[in-house]
Amino acid sequence: MSDLHARMAARVGDLTAVVVARCAAEAPFYGALPRATLQGEVARSIAAVHALLLRALRDGGGGPMGPGDLTRLIEWSARRAEERVPLEAVIAAYLIGAEVWWQTLTEVAEPGELAGAGGKLLACLHTALPAVVLAHQNAREDLHSEDKRVRRALLGALLEGRPYEELAGVARVAVVGEHEVVAFAFESDPPSRLVQSSLDAFTGIPVLMDHVARIALLPGRPDVPGLVARLEKDVGQPVRAAAARSSVPAAISSAAQEAGRVLDLVRRLGRPPGCYRLDDVLLEYQLARPGDGLVRLAAKLDPLAEHPYLLETLRVFVERGLNRRRTASELCVHRNTLDYRLQRVSALTGLDLAVPAQARLIQAALVARDLAGPADHRGVTGPQGSAGAAESS
């Protein structure tokens, strides 16, 4: 198939020109466009679709298109809708392109290659056209301010626990059964259209999302970690997300509150990007409740405040599951040096890491310190600098 891919790749420039010319001749909308637009944006869009077809031709195994490809198709289709391109013109362009592609295949393919290449083309059309139509329709609906208002009002009612049935009927959205409520945090604000396109492409349905609060409602039991990983690739930045399941629509509000609290906790703790649920931070969630207990727990480590290298050593030791070998390796210190530091921690705090109950208390105190104190509690991040100086004095 690689030889056929090379032969088709060599014809792509001519193919694009033929498709543009036929669109202008056979689709009234394209025929009315200025020549510069046809040779510019229209030609670029057609060439991009040809690139997807070439990739499908090159990749023998797997499906014809992945979620990333669908995301791009949905974005293109949404943009065409926003530019007032009629859906029938978009479909005409895809069908003309498919016809030209097939004609070229019959010219360059060997007899044994043609059936497989034709199957790839049909599979691409089968995958792409429903997504393109859906994205175009959704984008056109978004242009209608009343429809947008109703969808926002529906999601707001569900998240706030208010009556939603009438709004769901107006918005033509079925709200039944289980849902996942997912709250997102981005390092920088990605375009709302890109986020929406990524979610829609992954789930295969229009996703209700509040792009200001960054919270989405996903029906059923979707693969939320997979969705977050796909979203990270599409927006080009790390994403933190918290998910909570609602068994019935009436519980969506409480699930949204849970997801929001978990996400806030994950961000405060500086946890790495990824998808979290309450069970992932259950201890931290309970410790995060304000009160004298949290303050007193954090104060257990106050004697280490003037010894940042000891606090950092303790943190790494706890994060590495109290494994001395892994801790020494990460800190780049000798085991004897690590043992000395841990003995100093015990001497200063009065808590013995060798006693399980006291070790658990120290672990909880680290979490409490992160929650109750400033972000710079982590101190020095390695054995050099002030840490080394403190040990040598």
Side-chain angles (χ1 to χ4, degrees):
M1 187 64 75
S2 59
D3 290 340
L4 178 57
H5 171 271
R7 295 194 295 274
M8 289 297 290
R11 300 282 294 272
V12 162
D14 294 337
L15 280 173
T16 299
V18 171
V19 175
V20 170
R22 283 194 54 182
C23 285
E26 300 175 24
F29 174 83
Y30 290 106
L33 291 178
R35 179 179 177 82
T37 303
L38 287 170
Q39 300 300 326
E41 186 171 357
V42 173
R44 286 192 295 272
S45 295
I46 292 170
V49 174
H50 284 158
L52 295 181
L53 290 172
L54 277 173
R55 186 154 61 250
L57 197 62
R58 180 195 62 205
D59 300 335
M65 290 187 185
D69 295 329
L70 279 177
T71 296
R72 285 185 284 275
L73 285 177
I74 287 172
E75 281 193 272
W76 297 337
S77 184
R79 198 175 303 129
R80 298 293 84 78
E82 291 169 353
E83 294 164 355
R84 309 293 178 177
V85 180
L87 179 58
E88 59 267 27
V90 173
I91 298 301
Y94 272 94
L95 294 178
I96 290 170
E99 184 180 343
V100 172
W101 183 268
W102 172 250
Q103 289 174 343
T104 306
L105 280 174
T106 62
E107 296 170 8
V108 304
E110 299 294 338
E113 298 173 324
L114 197 55
K120 282 286 186 182
L121 173 59
L122 289 176
C124 285
L125 285 174
H126 181 76
T127 301
L129 286 182
V132 165
V133 171
L134 181 61
H136 194 283
Q137 290 174 336
N138 289 339
R140 289 299 299 269
E141 288 177 0
D142 285 345
L143 292 175
H144 196 288
S145 60
E146 182 61 18
D147 283 351
K148 290 178 66 176
R149 185 194 68 79
V150 170
R151 289 175 68 84
R152 285 198 302 268
L154 170 61
L155 181 57
L158 289 165
L159 296 177
E160 295 169 15
R162 294 184 280 106
Y164 64 88
E165 291 82 0
E166 183 176 349
L167 289 168
V170 174
R172 301 183 300 278
V173 175
V175 183
V176 294
E178 292 183 309
H179 288 78
E180 290 280 6
V181 183
V182 187
F184 298 95
F186 302 94
E187 288 193 350
S188 60
D189 288 337
S192 297
R193 173 61 67 186
L194 180 58
V195 174
Q196 188 72 51
S197 298
S198 181
L199 297 180
D200 291 351
F202 189 90
T203 61
I205 60 171
V207 172
L208 285 175
M209 178 163 182
D210 183 334
H211 289 279
V212 176
R214 300 297 193 192
I215 190 164
L217 185 62
L218 310 174
R221 287 177 171 253
D223 175 14
V224 181
L227 180 147
V228 173
R230 180 71 254 172
L231 184 58
E232 283 190 325
K233 293 181 180 179
D234 289 341
V235 303
Q237 60 176 284
V239 177
R240 289 179 177 85
R245 183 169 294 120
S246 163
S247 58
V248 293
I252 288 173
S253 176
S254 58
Q257 294 175 31
E258 178 182 308
R261 288 193 292 263
V262 170
L263 182 61
D264 178 66
L265 181 60
V266 165
R267 298 177 72 181
R268 289 169 61 190
L269 292 171
R271 292 294 176 87
C275 181
Y276 296 84
R277 293 185 181 274
L278 179 57
D279 283 350
D280 298 319
V281 289
L282 202 53
L283 173 63
E284 296 86 344
Y285 184 87
Q286 190 63 33
L287 289 173
R289 296 184 177 277
D292 292 341
L294 182 65
V295 175
R296 291 181 63 178
L297 188 57
K300 294 289 185 183
L301 300 183
D302 281 354
L304 304 182
E306 296 181 2
H307 307 277
Y309 74 98
L310 292 180
L311 188 60
E312 180 62 18
T313 297
L314 176 61
R315 185 183 299 280
V316 175
F317 185 54
V318 168
E319 290 176 349
R320 294 299 170 268
L322 309 184
N323 185 302
R324 293 176 184 257
R325 180 185 60 79
R326 293 175 60 196
T327 302
S329 176
E330 177 157 334
L331 292 173
C332 300
V333 299
H334 193 274
R335 278 286 298 271
N336 292 339
T337 300
L338 174 63
D339 290 342
Y340 167 76
R341 291 186 183 182
L342 295 178
Q343 289 168 8
R344 289 276 289 151
V345 168
S346 294
L348 289 169
T349 63
L351 298 171
D352 189 347
L353 284 161
V355 178
Q358 295 185 27
R360 289 194 295 271
L361 185 61
I362 286 180
Q363 291 176 282
L366 276 171
V367 174
R369 189 173 178 83
D370 286 339
L371 293 169
D376 61 358
H377 277 319
R378 289 183 179 270
V380 180
T381 57
Q384 305 301 319
S386 62
E391 283 188 293
S392 64
S393 61

